[in-house]
Amino acid sequence: MAWNVVILGGGFGGLYAARKLEHALPAHAAKVTVVTDVNFMLYTPLLPGAAAGTLEPRHVVVPLREHLSRTDLLLGHVTGADPDRREIFVTTAEGQERTLRYDHLIVALGSISRALPIPGLSEHAVGFKTLSDAIALRNRIIHTLERAESVEDEAARRALLTYVFVGAGYAGLEGLAELQDFAADIVDLYPRSRVEGLRFILVEARERVMPEISADLAAFATAELRRRGVEVRTSTTVERISDDSVELSDGEVVPCRTVAWTAGVRPHPVVEKLGLPLERTGRIVVDRFCKVDGRDDVWAVGDAAAVPDPARKGQPTPPTCQHALRQGRTVAGNVAAALGAGKPKPFTYKTLGVFVDMGHQKAVAETVGIKWRGFPAWFLARTYHLAMMPGIKRQLRLVVDWTVDLLFERDTSELGQLGHPPLLEVPGGGAAAAGEALGAGGGAHGVGGGAVGAGSPEQATGRR
Ligand SMILES: Cc1cc2nc3c(=O)[nH]c(=O)nc-3n(C[C@H](O)[C@H](O)[C@H](O)COP(=O)(O)OP(=O)(O)OC[C@H]3O[C@@H](n4cnc5c(N)ncnc54)[C@H](O)[C@@H]3O)c2cc1C
């Protein structure tokens, strides 16, 4: 009888594990199932480009079915597990509760934005982790510009045109840089806003931005942001967020209507319900082979796992896609070995390079010890992502989008209503909730939750 291998999550770790298993195992030796709540892998390094409108949102995702030929896909939400009975609990896209049995389990459930106990954070800030976050932020910029044109009160206009990003890692720095570039590009279309000016603030608790890159490249990135008029506030934290202001640790209260929260990630909460050993930050404890501590049949990779970092003794690998995808390949080889095909290998990858795309044809990069900045770094970053994007079809789409962006102005349509059709009138009174009637919004557990356009920007962030 064929072995049952179940992979939880279809992101970088899950997709690359499944692809490698298709090659590593003899045909029909195993039934491989990926359980995922969306039917695509989000290529996160290009998310800032989708937010800024340089890339079509559909072009920064990889449809799983197109890239997996011998793997079953089960669209659903993992809710828990019983590793002693080798069982996984799933609520399917249809809302049915199912129990899956496995011989080997690979956990690749990724992470969510890490929230801190800051008053007003969950009500008023938007994350920058999913496609809907990115599109909500883009829509919010357009929406605030539109509203700033019609308000008479100057203080209210200033608050509408102020954008605060909290956290200066990959997501915060790239997200702010691309969105500021986008706003600066379109502000000329808004006469009152042009006169008032835009205010972008990057708040970072540590002493400098981007600890992932060397200090002089981080200094270059900071100087580039300041050159564009962005206020970079290091050694500063956010104390409180309200509907129309943000209070900083230096006592300043910044009137603002948009707060993007990009201050780190933590493993997906369902990881706590899998009955597996967790370390201090909630990541699953695994060894160099990505095998879970105390289990011979459970493996974990990516942001949800604390895989020992070969480059930094005693520390787990950083939560990056370059690690997750390689851990996916390593774990697939090791599961195949456990099933009798090949030999197990430890995870040995050491970071080869880092790219931080800052829009405006500028970036900073560090590759095998060589530092790049400005246009060469930007060109290198785009070439790298082009090469890493799976499938020639997607690669060509990226090239077309980037070329169009070089030649034409940005689009300022705010399409927050996409996927949220108006209610149909029901003869005799009442109306069907269109979202329910058409299945928009993706079911009880957010299946399809990466849907572009999470309603209006206010719906998406809870702000008014
Ligand atoms: C804006 C941004 C920019 C980034 N830029 C870079 C970069 O330039 N370079 C870099 O190396 N890294 C970058 N990263 C980090 C990188 O995206 C992550 O480290 C990587 O995605 C982790 O891979 P993973 O497989 O662990 O998780 P993911 O890729 O997040 O995959 C997890 C999958 O599990 C699914 N899932 C979660 N919960 C459930 C559930 N309960 N049931 C079913 N399915 C579920 C999710 O929908 C998702 O498909 C960036 C991240 C962000 C947010």
Side-chain angles (χ1 to χ4, degrees):
M1 197 184 67
W3 300 103
N4 251 328
V5 180
V6 176
I7 301 173
L8 307 184
F12 279 92
L15 173 62
Y16 281 82
R19 276 168 53 145
K20 174 83 193 249
L21 273 175
E22 288 190 352
H23 295 112
L25 287 171
H28 309 295
K31 178 177 183 290
V32 180
T33 308
V34 172
V35 185
T36 170
D37 55 3
V38 284
N39 72 350
F40 56 77
M41 180 194 88
L42 174 61
Y43 192 98
T44 45
L46 297 180
L47 194 62
T54 47
L55 292 171
E56 169 65 30
R58 279 180 194 82
H59 299 171
V60 302
V61 303
V62 178
L64 296 176
R65 288 189 189 277
E66 285 179 25
H67 291 271
L68 296 172
S69 50
R70 287 199 276 131
T71 303
D72 284 352
L73 204 65
L74 176 64
L75 207 62
H77 195 82
V78 177
T79 54
D82 182 343
D84 292 333
R85 299 167 68 106
R86 294 184 166 180
E87 286 177 350
I88 288 295
F89 311 125
V90 179
T91 306
T92 67
E94 283 296 299
Q96 288 162 352
E97 307 295 334
R98 273 185 58 183
T99 300
L100 302 185
R101 290 193 51 76
Y102 61 81
D103 296 302
H104 281 272
L105 174 70
I106 300 173
V107 182
L109 287 167
S111 55
I112 58 165
S113 296
R114 185 191 51 198
L116 298 177
I118 295 173
L121 176 70
S122 60
E123 298 92 320
H124 301 298
V126 62
F128 192 54
K129 186 82 180 72
T130 65
L131 206 46
S132 47
D133 289 338
I135 304 308
L137 273 172
R138 177 174 190 274
N139 286 343
R140 175 160 276 276
I141 291 204
I142 300 171
H143 203 64
T144 47
L145 281 164
E146 294 291 354
R147 284 174 66 188
E149 289 303 294
S150 58
V151 293
E152 294 305 330
D153 180 35
E154 271 191 35
R157 185 174 313 123
R158 216 166 300 134
L160 280 165
L161 297 176
T162 300
Y163 308 91
V164 176
F165 280 66
V166 191
Y170 268 122
L173 204 126
E174 291 191 328
L176 176 136
E178 288 272 13
L179 282 160
Q180 188 274 342
D181 191 23
F182 168 62
D185 248 18
I186 63 170
V187 72
D188 280 347
L189 300 173
Y190 298 86
R192 283 180 152 187
S193 305
R194 189 182 57 219
V195 172
E196 177 67 47
L198 301 164
R199 187 177 182 201
F200 276 82
I201 304 173
L202 180 60
V203 179
E204 167 56 52
R206 285 165 296 201
E207 280 168 11
R208 71 164 171 105
V209 304
M210 292 287 305
E212 299 90 336
I213 57 176
S214 60
D216 55 338
L217 280 183
F220 178 83
T222 307
E224 171 59 21
L225 289 178
R226 291 204 164 120
R227 195 184 65 78
R228 294 187 200 173
V230 175
E231 296 170 39
V232 182
R233 304 278 189 92
T234 47
S235 306
T236 307
T237 55
V238 165
E239 300 297 304
R240 184 179 308 277
I241 305 174
S242 76
D243 187 33
D244 56 5
S245 70
V246 170
E247 188 182 327
L248 303 180
S249 53
D250 59 11
E252 183 178 350
V253 177
V254 181
C256 104
R257 303 297 295 256
T258 306
V259 180
W261 180 258
T262 58
V265 294
R266 73 174 185 93
H268 199 286
V270 75
V271 165
E272 291 166 17
K273 297 185 186 154
L274 301 181
L276 301 173
L278 307 179
E279 46 88 274
R280 189 180 47 85
T281 61
R283 294 170 95 180
I284 301 167
V285 182
V286 297
D287 63 14
R288 296 185 308 136
F289 296 84
C290 303
K291 188 155 69 62
V292 174
D293 205 24
R295 303 263 161 203
D296 286 332
D297 49 5
V298 188
W299 313 73
V301 295
D303 288 8
V307 180
D309 192 343
R312 302 174 307 160
K313 207 164 181 283
Q315 293 200 49
T317 51
T320 74
C321 45
Q322 42 179 313
H323 287 89
L325 74 90
R326 287 172 178 90
Q327 286 164 8
R329 288 187 191 134
T330 300
V331 84
N334 292 341
V335 168
L339 297 177
K343 288 210 167 87
K345 287 192 185 132
F347 178 72
T348 53
Y349 173 73
K350 294 183 183 165
T351 309
L352 290 177
V354 189
F355 300 97
V356 187
D357 193 335
M358 303 181 66
H360 232 60
Q361 301 184 12
K362 292 235 165 58
V364 290
E366 206 160 357
T367 50
V368 281
I370 305 168
K371 290 169 187 156
W372 308 76
R373 54 184 69 169
F375 182 80
W378 175 81
F379 188 75
L380 209 63
R382 291 228 159 155
T383 312
Y384 172 79
H385 289 310
L386 202 56
M388 291 306 287
M389 175 59 89
I392 185 82
K393 265 197 308 191
R394 304 260 126 204
Q395 292 172 337
L396 282 175
R397 286 182 172 133
L398 292 183
V399 172
V400 170
D401 282 357
W402 282 330
T403 311
V404 168
D405 179 58
L406 284 178
L407 299 177
F408 299 102
E409 286 161 2
R410 315 257 187 136
D411 193 342
T412 56
S413 322
E414 193 260 88
L415 299 178
Q417 56 185 270
L418 275 189
H420 299 267
L423 305 185
L424 282 180
E425 195 187 14
V426 177
E436 283 168 36
L438 300 178
H445 295 277
V447 173
V452 177
S456 72
E458 284 73 18
Q459 272 175 286
T461 62
R463 304 193 116 207
R464 283 177 313 282

